[in-house]
């Protein structure tokens, strides 16, 4: 099978890159093993919250200048990071994702445990740090254990906010209550998203909306769009905001769904439930890629993009003595001494979280120190950054995805 570009991995980075390439007229395929980390995310994206030493980020340009040379942002430079982040925000909006936020004005959103987490972009339904001191009603669903309104309300009160916990019963969910493993946010959403269930949800929330200035509810509806959220906010007596629950997350799954559908509509070939098992590299270029489902029929492409994810997605494999990249055997930024992989304090930033593939400034993957000229590496499989401690996972995925796509499009007339 012949393509202009084959992308390995169907998470945030792979999808953004694929959408940009498909919209430019490229024949593009994404090989995806299954659920990506995006389905387990909160739906918020971070750009850069802290430096590797833990110092909070002020001005973005100063922060990027202070990053180590191996960090993806340092490889690209401030101007490109800004440009690609702006493009990503526009691309996401074009896919139907109404996100709030700005590059130079990061916001604080409320987490399900009452912490305030910095973000670059968040869904419209995400609760941001209140500007005043509204009377907040934290609403749980009867028997739903993945969201604890009492804990959240107590945490908000400790932060000086006026919050109380409430609970609603929704009889339509009784069929799920018998099995705790089925009484999860995604399954609840599949019921509540049905139009005929609106009245029951509205009737349960409306009396509370008359007593409070703001309602917080677990994100248990809106798998494919935010129409139900919008309708409730139009008809309730006070604003409603939604908090993601334990994974899989409804906001994260909606982002995955909307990006995937946009990629397909733009002409992309989606290859789900498949994985790349081997590849041929000749004269510094990838010439063929084999997948598990098409092991006798190689995929041939002028360009290949590796967006296979980190350890969570098996893009990186940890052995006893070393970490390896799973498909091409690319060079990996890592510590040679196993004792240097981790810190004794589990809450510290762990060195292994910065392990990942080495590239040049163009994000071409390196193998034995030599660049593979038609292979681009993007997203969390890259080395040189700690997505959690630095608060930059979503930003690195978006920025590197668009950098790779831009270079591939620029070469469209070659060969």
């Amino acid at each position: 099978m012949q393509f202009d570009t084959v992308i390995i991995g169907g998470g945030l980075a792979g999808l953004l890159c694929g959408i940009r390439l498909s919209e430019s007229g490229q024949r593009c395929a994404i090989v995806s093993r299954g659920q990506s980390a995006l389905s387990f995310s909160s739906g918020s994206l971070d750009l850069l919250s802290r430096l590797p030493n833990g110092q909070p980020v002020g001005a973005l340009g100063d922060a990027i200048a202070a990053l180590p040379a191996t960090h993806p942002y340092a490889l690209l430079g401030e101007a490109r990071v800004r440009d690609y982040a702006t493009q990503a925000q526009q691309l996401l909006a074009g896919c139907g994702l109404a996100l709030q936020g700005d590059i130079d004005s990061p916001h604080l959103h409320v987490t399900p445990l009452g912490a305030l987490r910095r973000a670059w972009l968040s869904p419209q339904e995400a609760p941001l740090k209140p500007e005043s001191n509204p009377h907040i009603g934290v609403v749980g669903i009867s028997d739903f254990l993945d969201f604890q309104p009492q804990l959240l309300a107590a945490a908000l009160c400790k932060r000086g906010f006026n919050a109380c916990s409430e609970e609603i019963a929704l009889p339509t969910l009784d069929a799920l209550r018998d099995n705790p493993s089925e009484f999860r946010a995604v399954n609840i959403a599949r019921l509540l998203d049905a139009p005929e269930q609106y009245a029951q949800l509205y009737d349960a929330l409306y009396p509370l909306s008359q007593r409070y200035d703001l309602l917080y509810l677990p994100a248990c509806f809106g798998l494919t769009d935010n129409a139900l959220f919008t309708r409730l906010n139009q008809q309730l007596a006070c604003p409603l905001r939604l908090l993601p629950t334990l994974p899989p997350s409804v906001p994260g799954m909606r982002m995955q769904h909307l990006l995937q559908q946009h990629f397909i509509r733009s002409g992309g070939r989606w290859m789900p439930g498949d994985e790349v098992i081997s590849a041929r590299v000749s004269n510094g270029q990838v010439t063929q890629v084999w997948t598990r489902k098409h092991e006798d029929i190689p995929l041939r492409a002028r360009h290949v993009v590796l967006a296979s994810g980190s350890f969570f997605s098996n893009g990186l494999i940890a052995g006893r003595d070393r970490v390896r990249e799973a498909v091409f055997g690319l060079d990996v930024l890592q510590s040679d001494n196993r004792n240097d992989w981790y810190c004794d304090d589990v809450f510290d930033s762990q060195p292994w979280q910065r392990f990942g593939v080495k590239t040049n400034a163009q994000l071409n993957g390196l193998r034995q120190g030599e660049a593979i000229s038609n292979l681009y590496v993007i997203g969390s499989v890259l080395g040189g950054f700690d997505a959690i401690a630095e608060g930059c996972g979503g930003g690195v995925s978006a920025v590197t995805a668009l950098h790779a796509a831009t270079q591939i499009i620029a070469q469209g007339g070659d060969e």
Side-chain angles (χ1 to χ4, degrees):
M1 289 183 282
Q2 189 76 36
F3 298 93
D4 293 312
T5 301
V6 167
I7 298 172
I8 303 170
L12 178 63
L15 282 165
L16 289 177
C17 185
I19 290 169
R20 176 53 52 85
L21 291 173
S22 294
E23 289 182 339
S24 75
Q26 284 227 349
R27 189 162 184 259
C28 183
I30 292 180
V31 181
S32 175
R33 293 183 64 203
Q35 277 189 316
S36 74
L38 195 57
S39 297
F40 297 82
S41 74
S42 67
S44 291
L45 302 178
D46 38 23
L47 189 61
L48 184 62
S49 299
R50 290 170 295 280
L51 294 175
N53 62 7
Q55 179 182 344
V57 166
L60 181 62
D62 293 341
I64 292 176
L67 292 172
T70 53
H71 196 290
Y73 289 168
L75 289 174
L76 299 183
E78 179 193 357
R80 283 175 171 169
V81 170
R82 284 183 170 279
D83 183 32
Y84 293 136
T86 301
Q87 291 182 39
Q89 192 165 348
Q90 295 168 349
L91 190 153
L92 290 165
C95 294
L97 287 157
L99 301 174
Q100 53 188 329
D102 180 74
I103 298 170
D104 290 306
S105 302
H107 55 267
L108 295 174
H109 68 94
V110 180
T111 74
L113 293 179
L116 297 175
R117 182 175 175 83
R118 180 167 164 155
W120 160 41
L121 299 173
S122 290
Q124 291 289 343
E125 60 264 38
L128 305 189
K129 178 184 177 182
E131 294 296 331
S132 55
N133 191 17
H135 191 196
I136 304 171
V138 183
V139 185
I141 297 174
S142 179
D143 300 324
F144 180 57
L145 302 181
D146 289 352
F147 180 79
Q148 298 295 321
Q150 297 88 351
L151 292 178
L152 175 54
L156 290 173
C157 288
K158 287 182 179 179
R159 292 184 176 276
F161 298 109
N162 181 14
C164 298
S165 62
E166 301 282 354
E167 188 174 276
I168 58 173
L170 300 172
T172 192
L173 304 180
D174 288 346
L176 300 176
R177 286 189 171 92
D178 294 336
N179 187 342
S181 66
E182 295 294 324
F183 202 43
R184 310 299 296 272
V186 172
N187 294 326
I188 294 173
R190 292 192 176 104
L191 289 177
L192 294 184
D193 281 347
E196 61 270 20
Q197 303 300 335
Y198 176 79
Q200 183 178 160
L201 182 60
Y202 171 81
D203 289 344
L205 291 174
Y206 186 76
L208 296 176
S209 72
Q210 293 180 304
R211 293 165 43 196
Y212 291 96
D213 301 317
L214 180 63
L215 294 182
Y216 288 173
L217 189 73
C220 289
F221 52 81
L223 268 176
T224 59
D225 58 46
N226 65 352
L228 179 53
F229 167 78
T230 301
R231 185 180 178 188
L232 284 169
N233 271 282
Q234 290 172 344
Q235 299 187 1
L236 292 176
C238 77
L240 171 69
R241 296 294 180 263
L242 304 179
L243 287 143
T245 63
L246 291 175
S249 153
V250 169
M253 290 187 70
R254 181 170 70 247
M255 181 176 285
Q256 174 83 37
H257 169 78
L258 290 174
L259 291 176
Q260 180 181 322
Q261 292 304 305
H262 193 88
F263 171 70
I264 294 170
R265 285 195 303 270
S266 65
R269 173 78 176 273
W270 181 255
M271 302 173 68
D274 203 354
E275 61 180 319
V276 172
I277 56 176
S278 64
R280 177 179 295 170
V281 179
S282 177
N283 297 321
Q285 289 200 329
V286 181
T287 58
Q288 294 176 321
V289 171
W290 285 269
T291 74
R292 179 170 49 81
K293 284 187 175 181
H294 304 87
E295 58 183 49
D296 296 328
I297 307 174
L299 307 183
R300 295 182 175 89
R302 294 177 50 226
H303 305 279
V304 176
V305 178
L306 182 66
S308 53
S310 187
F311 299 98
F312 177 84
S313 304
N314 290 330
L316 298 174
I317 307 295
R320 185 177 297 275
D321 300 313
R322 68 184 184 94
V323 173
R324 63 181 178 86
E325 186 275 313
V327 178
F328 299 95
L330 299 175
D331 298 342
V332 174
L333 180 69
Q334 60 185 295
S335 300
D336 293 331
N337 187 340
R338 179 63 185 256
N339 291 332
D340 295 332
W341 288 19
Y342 57 87
C343 298
D344 291 337
D345 190 335
V346 69
F347 295 105
D348 285 345
S349 174
Q350 299 296 321
W352 61 263
Q353 291 177 308
R354 292 186 171 83
F355 293 178
V357 172
K358 295 180 181 179
T359 73
N360 59 17
Q362 288 71 47
L363 300 183
N364 297 124
L366 304 181
R367 191 163 75 168
Q368 298 179 356
E370 297 294 326
I372 302 177
S373 61
N374 68 336
L375 173 65
Y376 297 88
V377 184
I378 62 175
S380 58
V381 71
L382 287 166
F385 70 103
D386 184 335
I388 298 174
E390 296 167 13
C392 64
V396 167
S397 290
V399 165
T400 58
L402 295 183
H403 181 59
T406 297
Q407 294 181 93
I408 291 171
I409 292 169
Q411 298 175 49
D414 296 344
E415 302 177 18

